[in-house]
Amino acid sequence: MMGERRVDQGSLFYEFSLERHVPADHLLRAIDRFVDLTDLRVRLAPFYSSVGRPSIDPELLIRMLLIGYCSGIRSERRLCEEVHLNLAYRWFCRLGLDGEVPDHSTFSKNRHGRFRESDLLRGLFETVVRRCIGEGLVGGEGFAVDASLIKAEANRQKGIVGTKGLPPELTSRAIDEYLAVLDDAAFGAATDVTPKFISPADPAARWTGAHGGQAYFAYSDNYLIDLDHGIIVDVEPSTAVRQAEVTAAKTMISRSEAQFGLCPTRLAGDSAYGSAAMLQWLVHERGIEPHIPVFDKSKRADDTFSRSDFAFNAGTDTYRCPGGKQLTTTGTVVNDGTTLLYRASKHDCQACTLKPRCCPKEPARKVPRSIYEGARDLARDIATTEAYAVSRRQRKKVEMLFAHLKRILRLDRLRLRGPTGARDEFLLAATVQNLRKLAKLIQAPTMLPAT
């Protein structure tokens, strides 16, 4: 039998509880246990006036931003609409049923002012990392580092030819930030190569075709993670070139030790971090085992002997060629003071039967050796161990985090411009990823019924 038509009759009184309407297994309920904003007001207090109209609660803004990045809501205008309508979002933001949702423009005003001036988002990220350490999710022995390209908020079809530079009449916040980081080793000073194109909307974004398809403007999102549970220990933006990513890795390793006292014994990474200078820094300055493939281009493609065919004797500081002759060095360094040249005797080479396979176009063979070759040799030795194979498998955790970042959190393209905009987005996304990991690994205590 068809039911009767329902007539909307307003009641005089309602009994409604948001607490009861948010499911026990809801993601926001699981995350809420680990959101600690107790020192937020202390950090922001110097940036507010003691007189005037009360501002929007900064805790409300941060909770709304966490919802946006956790749920993949990329638009702050849409975020305000969703918080207004969604009961779980209202519960997480402590708004109740009749709490007023702030206007979307409030986020921009606070982001460009108080939040960046107080480094609030970095403080929030580090608070969550400390909670992960306190819960025993960070072992601190094995780390992995990697970078992923994130498209910038810049139209690839409106780029300016790099050799022409930016027109002097252009002005914007992003251009001011670009000029401010020209001497930064993670941005403008990372390479002397002039990019093919520069974006007038976001000049600090790098034109890159690293993925093999259409080139585009991008930033690099750099992660340093602990290998035990894949907790993101640090995050840093950089321009999208290898040298800048190496600089960002050094910054993150040093900062994690300064902030959390974490000193890993080994670091896993891909060949982008296998340069001689980086391996030297890890081994001799930080005491970290490099579980990293050595970046080596000494292999020859013309079927002549490569450097690996020459045996080095550390005791005599000489190389021995396949013909049994010695190559010595005068100690003079070349290539900006990073390389020694070991030369064979012209007399030995002219009489050698192996000369057509060794130096067919030169009177004598010379072998370059980096002044950091000791660290490279150590990395090669580590690469033959079982521990290295384990690190290579564990390193996939950082790649999984980047896949989660782009597919689940939908951060495959930035919404904010400039290095600080990229930094804000990367910090918030990494904070949310750590919060989700905490919610997954730390089960909520079960409440026993009263007796």
Side-chain angles (χ1 to χ4, degrees):
M1 181 176 68
M2 183 181 297
E4 296 181 359
R5 183 187 299 274
R6 297 181 61 87
V7 179
D8 183 16
Q9 294 181 349
S11 300
L12 292 178
F13 302 99
Y14 286 96
E15 182 180 353
F16 186 88
S17 172
L18 277 178
E19 182 69 30
R20 292 200 306 267
H21 279 73
V22 179
D25 59 349
H26 196 282
L27 176 61
L28 289 181
R29 186 180 287 278
I31 285 178
D32 186 63
R33 297 178 289 138
F34 306 104
V35 177
D36 182 8
L37 302 177
T38 53
D39 61 346
L40 179 144
R41 291 181 175 275
V42 176
R43 182 185 286 267
L44 288 175
F47 302 93
Y48 282 92
S49 173
S50 58
V51 297
R53 188 177 62 179
S55 69
I56 301 294
D57 183 5
E59 181 176 342
L60 170 60
L61 298 179
I62 294 299
R63 286 184 174 272
M64 289 181 65
L65 286 173
L66 291 177
I67 290 174
Y69 281 82
C70 189
S71 304
I73 301 175
R74 303 293 297 134
S75 166
E76 287 170 355
R77 187 187 296 270
R78 180 172 165 240
L79 174 62
C80 292
E81 296 173 354
E82 292 292 331
V83 171
H84 176 72
L85 295 173
N86 192 299
L87 293 179
Y89 294 173
R90 281 185 166 272
W91 173 85
F92 184 79
C93 292
R94 311 297 192 259
L95 279 174
L97 284 176
D98 55 353
E100 185 177 354
V101 178
D103 187 77
H104 65 89
S105 63
T106 306
F107 291 99
S108 296
K109 294 177 182 178
N110 283 274
R111 180 188 303 114
H112 296 310
R114 303 181 183 97
F115 288 1
R116 289 179 180 173
E117 292 170 0
S118 64
D119 207 9
L120 179 66
L121 300 182
R122 168 65 64 178
L124 176 63
F125 169 77
E126 292 178 351
T127 299
V128 176
V129 174
R130 289 190 179 92
R131 181 62 183 270
C132 294
I133 296 172
E135 295 289 350
L137 300 183
V138 177
E141 295 183 359
F143 282 3
V145 64
D146 203 358
S148 183
L149 296 180
I150 306 294
K151 290 182 180 179
E153 178 58 24
N155 192 330
R156 62 179 304 276
Q157 297 178 342
K158 295 185 179 180
I160 299 173
V161 176
T163 54
K164 293 183 178 180
L166 292 171
E169 65 272 11
L170 288 180
T171 58
S172 69
R173 181 182 290 107
I175 291 178
D176 292 341
E177 292 185 14
Y178 163 70
L179 297 175
V181 298
L182 281 178
D183 296 328
D184 192 331
F187 285 95
T191 177
D192 295 332
V193 178
T194 301
K196 186 175 181 179
F197 295 103
I198 299 177
S199 169
D202 191 353
R206 186 81 180 187
W207 178 261
T208 177
H211 286 167
Q214 281 189 334
Y216 54 88
F217 295 106
Y219 286 93
S220 281
D221 188 5
N222 299 271
Y223 275 5
L224 180 69
I225 73 163
D226 182 81
L227 289 177
D228 278 9
H229 294 92
I231 297 298
I232 303 170
V233 177
D234 207 346
V235 57
E236 183 75 7
S238 71
T239 192
V241 296
R242 180 176 60 84
Q243 300 92 321
E245 293 169 2
V246 171
T247 298
K250 293 180 178 180
T251 299
M252 292 188 294
I253 292 171
S254 300
R255 187 163 53 203
S256 64
E257 180 179 1
Q259 295 296 327
F260 312 117
L262 297 175
C263 305
T265 58
R266 68 185 189 279
L267 178 72
D270 57 28
S271 59
Y273 304 93
S275 63
M278 179 62 175
L279 295 175
Q280 171 78 6
W281 184 82
L282 288 172
V283 173
H284 295 289
E285 295 189 32
R286 310 298 301 190
I288 300 174
E289 292 183 1
H291 290 217
I292 301 171
V294 177
F295 186 79
D296 192 353
K297 291 188 176 181
S298 64
K299 184 69 175 178
R300 293 191 170 187
D302 57 359
D303 201 30
T304 59
F305 292 134
S306 300
R307 184 172 57 196
S308 58
D309 296 313
F310 293 75
F312 182 72
N313 188 324
T316 60
D317 192 22
T318 59
Y319 273 99
R320 184 171 295 277
C321 74
K325 302 300 182 180
Q326 282 190 340
L327 287 78
T328 60
T329 180
T330 61
T332 303
V333 290
V334 296
N335 293 340
D336 297 327
T338 61
T339 306
L340 289 167
L341 289 180
Y342 290 76
R343 301 177 185 272
S345 166
K346 182 178 179 181
H347 178 268
D348 291 340
C349 288
Q350 294 297 331
C352 183
T353 58
L354 297 176
K355 188 177 187 302
R357 289 196 59 197
C358 186
C359 51
K361 299 180 181 180
E362 299 290 336
R365 180 61 187 262
K366 57 184 178 182
V367 175
R369 178 179 174 84
S370 170
I371 60 175
Y372 309 130
E373 198 67 26
R376 287 159 58 91
D377 289 340
L378 176 61
R380 294 187 183 100
D381 292 340
I382 292 174
T384 62
T385 64
E386 179 62 27
Y388 177 85
V390 173
S391 295
R392 300 305 295 169
R393 291 194 297 268
Q394 292 179 325
R395 195 185 70 83
K396 294 179 181 179
K397 293 180 180 179
V398 68
E399 297 174 355
M400 293 171 62
L401 282 168
F402 284 130
H404 179 269
L405 176 74
K406 295 179 180 180
R407 294 186 179 184
I408 307 301
L409 304 189
R410 300 180 184 177
L411 188 57
D412 55 348
R413 183 186 180 95
L414 292 173
R415 185 173 50 81
L416 306 179
R417 291 174 175 171
T420 55
R423 179 174 176 271
D424 290 349
E425 294 218 57
F426 294 162
L427 280 170
L428 277 168
T431 300
V432 164
Q433 286 183 293
N434 281 344
L435 285 171
R436 291 173 69 113
K437 188 64 68 69
L438 276 167
K440 178 181 178 180
L441 297 179
I442 308 299
Q443 297 298 321
T446 56
M447 301 297 293
L448 296 177
T451 60

